[in-house]
Amino acid sequence: MTKMNAVGWFDIFVDDLDRAVAFYEKVLGHKLEPMGDPTGETQMMAFQGDMTVYGAAGALTKSAHGKPGVGGTIIYFMAEDVAVEEARVADAGGIVIRPKFSIGEFGFVTLCQDTEGNMFGMNSLK
């Protein structure tokens, strides 16, 4: 069997897709891209990704099959220095839950809440 990452895709469920897109574009500094759904059941905006390289890609997803909220899985976005993105969270309408803190040899993490009520993290080496 070929070795692969445990996570190949993620969906962050949202209630207001436009509001969520504006939040993540402002905090992460990257444009999200429209993504079609062959079932026609969901609206999706994808994070920039290349499914042929290391790591996972994913999208903000508005669907009857899932709802946003705290207490579930946490997605960690990679950054050069999480303090930069963390500084954009409140202005984008989110909440910093736990400011930048060390996780030892694995760098630093910040925990935040988006405009939809989802908890997410950011990770950097410095």
Side-chain angles (χ1 to χ4, degrees):
M1 179 175 196
T2 304
K3 287 186 177 183
M4 63 182 74
N5 292 328
V7 177
W9 183 262
F10 63 86
D11 286 317
I12 298 175
F13 289 106
V14 304
D15 286 325
D16 185 324
L17 188 59
D18 292 336
R19 177 177 64 198
V21 167
F23 174 82
Y24 281 100
E25 285 183 345
K26 186 168 189 171
V27 171
L28 300 177
H30 299 284
K31 293 299 249 177
L32 278 75
E33 303 167 355
M35 180 178 182
D37 174 14
T39 69
E41 296 174 356
T42 61
Q43 298 171 298
M44 302 172 81
M45 291 291 287
F47 291 92
Q48 296 174 1
D50 180 348
M51 295 298 285
T52 66
V53 298
Y54 183 78
L60 297 176
T61 304
K62 182 175 172 69
S63 171
H65 305 294
K67 296 290 177 201
V70 176
T73 302
I74 297 180
I75 300 295
Y76 289 84
F77 294 98
M78 298 305 295
E80 292 290 322
D81 180 349
V82 296
V84 173
E85 287 80 4
E86 180 185 283
R88 299 177 187 147
V89 169
D91 193 42
I95 302 167
V96 175
I97 302 296
R98 185 168 180 196
K100 182 180 178 179
F101 61 97
S102 174
I103 54 171
E105 66 183 280
F106 302 106
F108 297 87
V109 167
T110 182
L111 296 174
C112 304
Q113 187 174 9
D114 70 13
T115 55
E116 306 304 295
N118 293 304
M119 179 87 77
F120 70 97
M122 292 180 280
N123 176 234
S124 64
L125 296 178
K126 60 179 178 176

